[in-house]
Amino acid sequence: MSPDRPYLRLSSFGNAGSTQADYSKDSDMVEVFECTRTTTNRFKISLLKPSVRALVLACKVSVRTDTRGFLSLQFMIKADDGQVTFVEYFVSVFFLLVTDISVRSSRLISDFC
């Protein structure tokens, strides 16, 4: 996410290749865009996959992130009777400092939870 072009870039990579999609803050799909500095976050697709069920039903989606890498997805879903329901999905990046006593060294392990 960036205050400059490309404002919002979603990308993915894997064994089959890579892809990316850019979204302008002026896009018809974007209602409000607020970003004061460029940030980059990475999340395992396996952690985002459960949110697809809500995404399919949603008529609006709010995407929020912060400097800690916390991702919040809020889905607005309208039922057949007109009632509105919100589903929220959260993902955070978890960092663990592991110390190996045998070699007396420390390393940072990044795991997504």
Side-chain angles (χ1 to χ4, degrees), residues 15-27:
N15 295 335
S18 64
T19 186
Q20 70 183 27
D22 294 337
Y23 298 92
S24 171
K25 67 179 183 177
D26 302 320
S27 168

PDB file of all heavy atoms in Angstrom, residues 15-27:
ATOM      1  N   ASN A  15       5.270 -21.922  -7.131  1.00  0.00           N
ATOM      2  CA  ASN A  15       5.931 -22.801  -8.093  1.00  0.00           C
ATOM      3  C   ASN A  15       5.427 -22.597  -9.513  1.00  0.00           C
ATOM      4  O   ASN A  15       6.162 -22.796 -10.477  1.00  0.00           O
ATOM      5  CB  ASN A  15       5.739 -24.264  -7.683  1.00  0.00           C
ATOM      6  CG  ASN A  15       6.440 -24.569  -6.375  1.00  0.00           C
ATOM      7  OD1 ASN A  15       7.394 -23.899  -6.005  1.00  0.00           O
ATOM      8  ND2 ASN A  15       5.967 -25.577  -5.668  1.00  0.00           N
ATOM      9  N   ALA A  16       4.168 -22.203  -9.666  1.00  0.00           N
ATOM     10  CA  ALA A  16       3.577 -22.039 -10.997  1.00  0.00           C
ATOM     11  C   ALA A  16       3.878 -20.674 -11.615  1.00  0.00           C
ATOM     12  O   ALA A  16       3.556 -20.424 -12.764  1.00  0.00           O
ATOM     13  CB  ALA A  16       2.070 -22.245 -10.928  1.00  0.00           C
ATOM     14  N   GLY A  17       4.493 -19.768 -10.844  1.00  0.00           N
ATOM     15  CA  GLY A  17       4.799 -18.445 -11.367  1.00  0.00           C
ATOM     16  C   GLY A  17       4.371 -17.365 -10.401  1.00  0.00           C
ATOM     17  O   GLY A  17       4.209 -17.602  -9.212  1.00  0.00           O
ATOM     18  N   SER A  18       4.171 -16.171 -10.936  1.00  0.00           N
ATOM     19  CA  SER A  18       3.775 -15.050 -10.092  1.00  0.00           C
ATOM     20  C   SER A  18       2.766 -14.180 -10.825  1.00  0.00           C
ATOM     21  O   SER A  18       2.654 -14.226 -12.048  1.00  0.00           O
ATOM     22  CB  SER A  18       4.998 -14.224  -9.694  1.00  0.00           C
ATOM     23  OG  SER A  18       5.581 -13.651 -10.845  1.00  0.00           O
ATOM     24  N   THR A  19       2.050 -13.378 -10.046  1.00  0.00           N
ATOM     25  CA  THR A  19       1.073 -12.463 -10.611  1.00  0.00           C
ATOM     26  C   THR A  19       0.924 -11.264  -9.676  1.00  0.00           C
ATOM     27  O   THR A  19       1.265 -11.357  -8.500  1.00  0.00           O
ATOM     28  CB  THR A  19      -0.293 -13.146 -10.829  1.00  0.00           C
ATOM     29  OG1 THR A  19      -1.161 -12.244 -11.508  1.00  0.00           O
ATOM     30  CG2 THR A  19      -0.926 -13.564  -9.518  1.00  0.00           C
ATOM     31  N   GLN A  20       0.432 -10.168 -10.219  1.00  0.00           N
ATOM     32  CA  GLN A  20       0.156  -9.004  -9.394  1.00  0.00           C
ATOM     33  C   GLN A  20      -1.001  -8.221 -10.006  1.00  0.00           C
ATOM     34  O   GLN A  20      -1.226  -8.255 -11.206  1.00  0.00           O
ATOM     35  CB  GLN A  20       1.378  -8.112  -9.219  1.00  0.00           C
ATOM     36  CG  GLN A  20       1.812  -7.376 -10.459  1.00  0.00           C
ATOM     37  CD  GLN A  20       3.073  -6.562 -10.207  1.00  0.00           C
ATOM     38  OE1 GLN A  20       3.877  -6.893  -9.342  1.00  0.00           O
ATOM     39  NE2 GLN A  20       3.250  -5.508 -10.961  1.00  0.00           N
ATOM     40  N   ALA A  21      -1.739  -7.554  -9.128  1.00  0.00           N
ATOM     41  CA  ALA A  21      -2.851  -6.707  -9.559  1.00  0.00           C
ATOM     42  C   ALA A  21      -2.722  -5.376  -8.829  1.00  0.00           C
ATOM     43  O   ALA A  21      -2.543  -5.338  -7.619  1.00  0.00           O
ATOM     44  CB  ALA A  21      -4.185  -7.370  -9.239  1.00  0.00           C
ATOM     45  N   ASP A  22      -2.795  -4.282  -9.581  1.00  0.00           N
ATOM     46  CA  ASP A  22      -2.713  -2.941  -9.018  1.00  0.00           C
ATOM     47  C   ASP A  22      -4.096  -2.303  -9.010  1.00  0.00           C
ATOM     48  O   ASP A  22      -4.867  -2.465  -9.965  1.00  0.00           O
ATOM     49  CB  ASP A  22      -1.770  -2.056  -9.834  1.00  0.00           C
ATOM     50  CG  ASP A  22      -0.335  -2.523  -9.765  1.00  0.00           C
ATOM     51  OD1 ASP A  22       0.021  -3.223  -8.793  1.00  0.00           O
ATOM     52  OD2 ASP A  22       0.447  -2.194 -10.681  1.00  0.00           O
ATOM     53  N   TYR A  23      -4.403  -1.572  -7.941  1.00  0.00           N
ATOM     54  CA  TYR A  23      -5.690  -0.889  -7.809  1.00  0.00           C
ATOM     55  C   TYR A  23      -5.434   0.586  -7.528  1.00  0.00           C
ATOM     56  O   TYR A  23      -4.681   0.934  -6.628  1.00  0.00           O
ATOM     57  CB  TYR A  23      -6.516  -1.501  -6.668  1.00  0.00           C
ATOM     58  CG  TYR A  23      -6.843  -2.947  -6.914  1.00  0.00           C
ATOM     59  CD1 TYR A  23      -6.009  -3.952  -6.445  1.00  0.00           C
ATOM     60  CD2 TYR A  23      -7.969  -3.306  -7.636  1.00  0.00           C
ATOM     61  CE1 TYR A  23      -6.298  -5.281  -6.681  1.00  0.00           C
ATOM     62  CE2 TYR A  23      -8.264  -4.643  -7.880  1.00  0.00           C
ATOM     63  CZ  TYR A  23      -7.421  -5.619  -7.400  1.00  0.00           C
ATOM     64  OH  TYR A  23      -7.702  -6.934  -7.633  1.00  0.00           O
ATOM     65  N   SER A  24      -6.070   1.434  -8.292  1.00  0.00           N
ATOM     66  CA  SER A  24      -5.947   2.868  -8.108  1.00  0.00           C
ATOM     67  C   SER A  24      -6.874   3.324  -6.994  1.00  0.00           C
ATOM     68  O   SER A  24      -7.945   2.755  -6.786  1.00  0.00           O
ATOM     69  CB  SER A  24      -6.319   3.589  -9.399  1.00  0.00           C
ATOM     70  OG  SER A  24      -6.405   4.971  -9.180  1.00  0.00           O
ATOM     71  N   LYS A  25      -6.485   4.376  -6.286  1.00  0.00           N
ATOM     72  CA  LYS A  25      -7.358   4.911  -5.239  1.00  0.00           C
ATOM     73  C   LYS A  25      -8.608   5.549  -5.831  1.00  0.00           C
ATOM     74  O   LYS A  25      -9.583   5.769  -5.132  1.00  0.00           O
ATOM     75  CB  LYS A  25      -6.605   5.906  -4.362  1.00  0.00           C
ATOM     76  CG  LYS A  25      -6.202   7.179  -5.063  1.00  0.00           C
ATOM     77  CD  LYS A  25      -5.492   8.108  -4.118  1.00  0.00           C
ATOM     78  CE  LYS A  25      -5.149   9.415  -4.800  1.00  0.00           C
ATOM     79  NZ  LYS A  25      -4.525  10.342  -3.873  1.00  0.00           N
ATOM     80  N   ASP A  26      -8.594   5.818  -7.131  1.00  0.00           N
ATOM     81  CA  ASP A  26      -9.741   6.405  -7.825  1.00  0.00           C
ATOM     82  C   ASP A  26     -10.628   5.363  -8.503  1.00  0.00           C
ATOM     83  O   ASP A  26     -11.586   5.716  -9.186  1.00  0.00           O
ATOM     84  CB  ASP A  26      -9.255   7.415  -8.873  1.00  0.00           C
ATOM     85  CG  ASP A  26      -8.418   8.515  -8.253  1.00  0.00           C
ATOM     86  OD1 ASP A  26      -8.774   8.971  -7.143  1.00  0.00           O
ATOM     87  OD2 ASP A  26      -7.405   8.902  -8.860  1.00  0.00           O
ATOM     88  N   SER A  27     -10.319   4.091  -8.308  1.00  0.00           N
ATOM     89  CA  SER A  27     -11.081   3.005  -8.917  1.00  0.00           C
ATOM     90  C   SER A  27     -12.522   2.995  -8.409  1.00  0.00           C
ATOM     91  O   SER A  27     -12.802   3.406  -7.280  1.00  0.00           O
ATOM     92  CB  SER A  27     -10.416   1.672  -8.583  1.00  0.00           C
ATOM     93  OG  SER A  27     -11.244   0.591  -8.908  1.00  0.00           O
TER      94      SER A  27
END
